[in-house]
């Protein structure tokens, strides 16, 4: 075999390797972007990009003092990033370890999480204990997490029930679930500005509508007055849910791929039955 023939034989292999290399780099960058979504790391990255732009301009216009200062800063920047973001780095590595590039383990973990949430909602409903649980989706909820009590805890039925128990200081606010972790409790959420909403609905329902109008989050509400379970997405509310329907909605809108095709579309439709007015009156004063 001549040298030219051998090179022609290796060329498709080389192209195949380049394609695989590009695919792997793209996948890693995609997962990294998902991990830092909604965190302060986004602002830090933007700040670093601004400094790089300033450094490039300093070199182009011949500003040696500014150039030297930024060069010294860039030397210590990797160490500073590790110190500042050790928690985020640890969480990212743990996430890659738990859920590599296949989805079976992720679905099993999310299934366990949904079971705990459904059991907690059912228990709170039976005891008529009010609750507001918000699930982060594509849009980050870091601003709302930071105004609450940060927890970063494993989601469990017992923890959710204890958080919303009337004797605890965290029962008034919302719990925010980020991925498979309870990110924070006692979070304050924006209230809906919808004028068409019945004034008889409580603060929890208004907060659930408010966060769903400003973000693509899914909110789960348990009425303190009636024990009714509701789900709110996209500014619309589905009320008086059974545990089976609640589980189905959580799977459909938080796990199903089809629910993520268009995060801006309305995911849950309002019930427009004749007894809506009766249900609203029953929940009068529910926080």
């Amino acid at each position: 075999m001549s040298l030219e023939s051998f090179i022609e034989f290796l060329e498709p292999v080389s192209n195949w390797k380049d394609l695989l290399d590009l695919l792997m780099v793209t996948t890693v960058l995609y997962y990294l972007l998902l991990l830092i979504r909604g965190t302060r790391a986004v602002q830090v990255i933007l700040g670093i990009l601004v400094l790089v732009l300033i450094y490039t301009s300093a070199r182009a216009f011949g500003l040696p003092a500014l150039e030297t200062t930024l060069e010294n800063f860039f030397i210590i920047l990797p160490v500073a990033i590790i110190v500042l973001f050790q928690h985020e780095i640890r969480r990212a590595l743990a996430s890659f370890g738990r859920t590599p590039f296949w989805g079976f383990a992720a679905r099993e973990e999310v299934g366990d999480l949904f079971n705990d949430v459904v059991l907690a909602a059912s228990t709170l409903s039976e005891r008529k204990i009010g609750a507001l649980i918000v699930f982060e989706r594509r849009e980050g909820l870091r601003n709302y997490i930071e105004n609450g009590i940060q927890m970063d805890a494993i989601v469990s039925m017992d923890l959710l029930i204890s958080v919303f128990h009337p004797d605890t200081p965290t029962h008034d606010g919302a719990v925010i679930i980020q991925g498979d972790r309870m990110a924070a409790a006692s979070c304050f959420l924006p209230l809906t500005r919808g004028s068409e909403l019945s004034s008889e609905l409580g603060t929890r329902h208004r907060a659930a509508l408010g966060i769903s109008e400003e973000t693509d989050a899914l909110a789960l509400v348990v009425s303190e007055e009636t024990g009714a379970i509701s789900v709110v997405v996209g500014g619309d509310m589905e009320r008086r849910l059974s545990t089976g329907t609640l589980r189905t909605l959580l799977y459909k809108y938080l796990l199903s791929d089809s629910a993520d095709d268009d995060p801006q579309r309305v995911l849950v439709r309002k019930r427009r039955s004749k007894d809506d007015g009766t249900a609203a009156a029953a929940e009068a004063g529910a926080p």
Side-chain angles (χ1 to χ4, degrees), residues 229-284:
I229 301 174
S230 304
V231 165
V232 186
V233 184
D236 287 334
M237 183 182 298
E238 182 79 7
R239 299 166 59 187
R240 303 185 304 280
L241 301 175
S242 65
T243 55
T245 304
L246 173 61
R247 192 190 312 273
T248 300
L249 290 177
L250 293 179
Y251 272 96
K252 181 176 182 181
Y253 298 132
L254 298 175
L255 189 59
S256 174
D257 294 335
S258 61
D260 291 332
D261 291 339
D262 186 2
Q264 300 300 325
R265 67 185 177 91
V266 176
L267 301 178
V268 180
R269 302 297 182 184
K270 291 182 180 178
R271 286 187 176 176
R272 302 186 181 278
S273 57
K274 296 180 181 179
D275 57 348
D276 266 358
T278 304
E283 293 187 359

Side-chain angles (χ1 to χ4, degrees), residues 106-146:
R107 289 178 179 269
E108 183 178 353
E109 289 181 2
V110 172
D112 294 338
L113 182 149
F114 288 170
N115 289 334
D116 281 313
V117 171
V118 171
L119 290 174
S122 176
T123 303
L124 294 169
S125 174
E126 292 175 359
R127 300 177 184 178
K128 291 189 177 180
I129 297 176
L132 175 54
I133 304 172
V134 178
F135 292 85
E136 181 184 85
R137 299 184 70 236
R138 291 186 178 181
E139 299 180 19
L141 302 176
R142 177 60 60 178
N143 292 337
Y144 304 105
I145 292 173
E146 290 178 347

